[in-house]
Amino acid sequence: GLALVATVWRLHRLYPEVRWDWSRIDLSELSFPDGFLWGAATAAHQVEGGNTNNNWSRWELSTDESGKPRIHNGQRSGSACEHYTRYPKDIERMRDELGLGSYRFSLEWSRIEPEEGRFDLDAIQHYSDVIDEVIAAGITPMVTLHHFTHPLWFEDKGSFEKEENLHYFVRFSERMFSEYGERVKLWCTHNEPGPFATMGWGMGVFPPGVRSPKRLGLVLTNLMRSHCRVYAALKAMPGGENAQIGLVKNIFQFDPWRRWNPAHWALTRSLEEVYNNSILRLFRGEPFTIRVPGLMNVREEIPGAELDFIGLNYYSHLLLSPLMPTTPPFKVLARP
């Protein structure tokens, strides 16, 4: 008992809960450097409309074990914002109404390679036209190669759960760089590998709907392997030395809901290791490591762990309890 109290006390000291009081933070001297790019980002499936051949389009049509739709009220992305056809006007508004200096968008792999090994030239031309339109508007394009969606044929092979599938993603990435590398200098391999793996293979609320810590760890490892292989492949291509290649990582600030409760601390530290530290350590030159006693034990030297930047997505400060619901709708704990 005394050892447990001492451990909790030590955790209190090591990980104080940061509280941001913006009324006391002086923003009067805040400035951004010359060349800073104010931009926005989209994911193809969320905005394009008409995406019917990827893992999320199937997920929207499926039901869970109880027969309920996977998406609330059975909603579908459907025609979305029709960005696939309206992109010239959308980009014009980015320039004139939003004043953006950069636009990050994803290439919909399922449009470009709808069947294994068959690349659709019309789809390739479409994204080429988008890039030209962005550049003509004086906006810097940034391409995301994988933003949660991939073709059904890749999904049916086990997608990123199987290491032998990674060469398909490398091949796709090389083809995209050969098409657009002269005009696009900013590339993201994966958008948010943590949520992609955790929600899809840990909590089972993203496709493919798996709840297995062991398989989650395998997917996260393969995402890191695939990033490293794509990074090396693109850097070796003509123009690769002039490209900036990274990945987009979202960071959650995790804290225990009850700071006196050892179970809340255990959950907090475990998620911090899986979600944040495992990926960040890899790019500091350390082995890729995920250790959650009894659930995950991954330690691997992944060669070529390099990036030119890391994209930071920050959403919220999460307070954790083992009694939190693990199926939607999620109820977020909060303090006044």
Side-chain angles (χ1 to χ4, degrees), residues 14-322:
L14 285 174
Y15 306 106
E17 186 171 305
V18 178
R19 307 301 293 273
W20 301 93
D21 183 353
W22 290 100
S23 66
R24 302 174 122 192
I25 297 175
D26 183 11
L27 302 178
S28 61
E29 300 299 320
L30 186 66
S31 64
F32 288 82
D34 292 339
F36 185 88
L37 292 175
W38 287 98
T42 61
H45 190 78
Q46 293 176 327
V47 299
E48 286 184 344
N51 279 313
T52 59
N53 187 35
N54 65 37
N55 51 324
W56 269 93
S57 64
R58 176 186 286 171
W59 187 252
E60 292 170 354
L61 299 175
S62 66
T63 56
D64 63 17
E65 297 79 6
S66 66
K68 292 173 59 179
R70 292 288 190 180
I71 308 297
H72 187 58
N73 290 334
Q75 294 174 345
R76 301 173 189 175
S77 60
S79 59
C81 308
E82 299 178 352
H83 183 56
Y84 199 82
T85 55
R86 296 176 180 266
Y87 71 89
K89 183 65 175 177
D90 292 342
I91 293 167
E92 181 183 310
R93 297 181 74 180
M94 290 178 199
R95 179 194 64 202
D96 297 341
E97 298 179 33
L98 298 178
L100 299 186
S102 179
Y103 176 37
R104 177 167 79 94
F105 56 95
S106 63
L107 306 176
E108 181 53 50
W109 185 3
S110 68
R111 289 187 189 268
I112 294 167
E113 192 180 2
E115 300 169 8
E116 180 185 339
R118 181 177 74 83
F119 287 85
D120 188 300
L121 298 183
D122 289 338
I124 291 174
Q125 183 61 48
H126 166 81
Y127 290 107
S128 181
D129 293 342
V130 171
I131 291 166
D132 284 345
E133 195 85 19
V134 169
I135 293 171
I139 297 171
T140 299
M142 174 182 267
V143 161
T144 306
L145 290 163
H146 187 265
H147 198 139
F148 290 7
T149 57
H150 46 251
L152 285 175
W153 63 261
F154 185 70
E155 178 80 348
D156 291 338
K157 287 177 179 290
S159 72
F160 290 99
E161 192 172 340
K162 296 182 179 180
E163 185 179 3
E164 60 264 32
N165 291 339
L166 301 187
H167 74 95
Y168 295 112
F169 181 59
V170 176
R171 181 182 68 185
F172 166 72
S173 301
E174 289 175 324
R175 178 63 184 268
M176 295 301 94
F177 194 82
S178 71
E179 296 285 349
Y180 311 131
E182 287 188 4
R183 289 169 289 163
V184 178
K185 303 304 179 185
L186 300 173
W187 293 79
C188 304
T189 55
H190 291 286
N191 178 80
E192 299 185 348
F196 177 75
T198 303
M199 303 296 273
W201 282 263
M203 303 183 76
V205 295
F206 282 9
V210 173
R211 294 171 70 91
S212 167
K214 182 178 180 180
R215 292 169 70 180
L216 185 165
L218 182 58
V219 170
L220 203 52
T221 303
N222 280 332
L223 291 171
M224 295 302 97
R225 288 168 172 157
S226 70
H227 164 83
C228 296
R229 294 176 193 182
V230 168
Y231 181 93
L234 301 193
K235 284 292 185 179
M237 293 179 67
E241 71 279 1
N242 298 320
Q244 297 287 299
I245 304 167
L247 58 75
V248 179
K249 172 79 186 82
N250 75 310
I251 300 289
F252 277 121
Q253 179 183 325
F254 293 117
D255 279 300
W257 172 234
R258 303 297 184 198
R259 292 182 65 82
W260 49 264
N261 191 313
H264 293 203
W265 273 107
L267 177 61
T268 298
R269 299 312 308 154
S270 293
L271 280 181
E272 178 77 14
E273 287 300 304
V274 174
Y275 217 83
N276 293 335
N277 293 339
S278 62
I279 294 172
L280 298 177
R281 283 201 198 101
L282 174 66
F283 296 106
R284 291 203 297 262
E286 301 175 31
F288 183 67
T289 305
I290 314 174
R291 285 208 181 98
V292 181
L295 295 176
M296 276 184 276
N297 187 13
V298 176
R299 182 179 173 85
E300 180 173 333
E301 297 276 358
I302 299 180
E306 296 183 65
L307 40 69
D308 300 317
F309 64 86
I310 189 160
L312 171 63
N313 286 351
Y314 178 77
Y315 299 107
S316 62
H317 175 190
L318 287 184
L319 301 171
L320 302 178
S321 161

